[in-house]
Amino acid sequence: MDAKLEKKLAKAKKEVVCGQHKVAEEGFREVVAADPQNADAHLGLGFSLIEKGALDEACGHLRTAYALRLDENTAYALGHVCTHLGKLDDGEKFLTQAMEIAPYRSDILLAAIFAYEQGHKLDEAEATAQRLLDHNPNNFSARHLMARILRRQ
């Protein structure tokens, strides 16, 4: 990737952190157009589109990023979006991969609990919540979800 494109990608990433998702989206789109094999640009564009509420389009870019480079961030984002789109089997698959890469990352575990709940897999949801609580007993979100799961069983 040339220096100009690297600069554009770095600026788009900075815009995401600053909450300037529209500006970031434009930057990521430019990088994707110039370098369609850039996993970072597809991932960043996917995140920007999630913020915009364009989940179907985000899913496409996240799938491209996933095909180009598997890491926990890509698998997590893709699993999260698939779950919210009602593609529960895909959501669980990607979140399981994310958990294999980063077994105690709380945002991934919380997303997996939500996906299991949505799919009415309460035993898996409970086991994942327990895993998170075993690692971090003070995680309020995990405690809240565990109580909700136990009430539903």
Side-chain angles (χ1 to χ4, degrees):
M1 179 166 49
D2 69 14
K4 186 177 178 184
L5 213 50
E6 282 184 29
K7 242 180 155 172
K8 191 168 289 293
L9 181 61
K11 183 176 181 339
K13 287 179 178 181
K14 190 182 222 181
E15 297 296 348
V16 167
V17 172
C18 294
Q20 300 299 316
H21 297 288
K22 184 176 170 86
V23 176
E25 177 187 342
E26 292 167 3
F28 288 128
R29 283 191 190 282
E30 288 180 39
V31 176
V32 165
D35 183 6
Q37 300 298 306
N38 189 307
D40 286 337
H42 282 285
L43 181 61
L45 182 52
F47 280 125
S48 294
L49 291 166
I50 290 168
E51 289 297 322
K52 183 179 172 179
L55 297 184
D56 286 314
E57 188 181 358
C59 189
H61 286 285
L62 294 171
R63 284 184 187 277
T64 300
Y66 178 85
L68 294 169
R69 182 192 67 222
L70 172 60
D71 64 19
E72 75 270 16
N73 293 322
T74 307
Y76 161 66
L78 189 50
H80 183 71
V81 168
C82 286
T83 298
H84 284 278
L85 287 172
K87 300 173 183 177
L88 300 179
D89 290 339
D90 283 348
E92 289 176 23
K93 177 182 93 172
F94 295 122
L95 289 167
T96 297
Q97 289 176 334
M99 288 187 293
E100 289 170 1
I101 298 167
Y104 296 107
R105 207 172 111 181
S106 61
D107 56 342
I108 294 171
L109 293 171
L110 291 168
I113 294 165
F114 177 76
Y116 291 137
E117 265 194 303
Q118 295 304 302
H120 305 286
K121 297 180 178 178
L122 299 181
D123 289 341
E124 288 93 334
E126 180 183 352
T128 305
Q130 189 60 58
R131 176 171 154 188
L132 181 52
L133 288 169
D134 288 346
H135 183 70
N136 182 359
N138 297 319
N139 188 306
F140 176 79
S141 296
R143 287 177 175 274
H144 173 75
L145 288 171
M146 179 65 93
R148 187 168 78 191
I149 292 162
L150 294 174
R151 280 194 305 270
R152 290 182 63 191
Q153 289 180 332

